[in-house]
Amino acid sequence: MYDGGHRDPHTGTMTNAMSLLLAALLGIGALPASAQDKAPRSRGELLYATYCIGCHGTQVHWRDKRLARDLRGLTEQVRRWQANTGQNWDEADIREVVNHLNRRYYKFGGPTDRG
């Protein structure tokens, strides 16, 4: 039986065009989830991804000659570089970036909410 072109009249299965359309529609529903997986998860990560990572890669955080040796040093470097690039971040933004960098790369002990 033929149902208007959506099924093959001989096998009763969906045609290739209909299968592709269905697959495309199902794929569209999955896009927001995959985009969310790649979205920054904190304000510090967003600031870092927007203003910092473009000038240097992540290797600056794990190289032997890195300048930040503790949380205080990391905070000083974030404060220094945001000023050098004209960002004019407040202390909360600096703290957010320090927290992100410490969680992601440095893993210095102690509380990371100090500015």
Side-chain angles (χ1 to χ4, degrees), residues 33-53:
S34 63
Q36 287 176 355
D37 291 342
K38 295 178 184 178
R41 287 155 180 65
S42 70
R43 178 161 176 76
E45 185 177 353
L46 178 61
L47 288 168
Y48 180 78
T50 303
Y51 299 106
C52 304
I53 198 81

Side-chain angles (χ1 to χ4, degrees), residues 14-83:
M14 294 178 130
T15 62
N16 285 343
M18 191 64 175
S19 297
L20 289 174
L21 177 61
L22 181 60
L25 290 173
L26 290 174
I28 289 171
L31 287 177
S34 63
Q36 287 176 355
D37 291 342
K38 295 178 184 178
R41 287 155 180 65
S42 70
R43 178 161 176 76
E45 185 177 353
L46 178 61
L47 288 168
Y48 180 78
T50 303
Y51 299 106
C52 304
I53 198 81
C55 293
H56 60 75
T58 58
Q59 74 276 4
V60 74
H61 302 295
W62 48 260
R63 64 185 178 165
D64 290 336
K65 295 181 182 181
R66 69 182 185 193
L67 298 175
R69 301 283 180 200
D70 56 23
L71 279 175
R72 185 179 195 149
L74 180 57
T75 302
E76 290 169 3
Q77 290 303 311
V78 170
R79 187 175 286 117
R80 171 184 169 217
W81 284 106
Q82 67 82 32

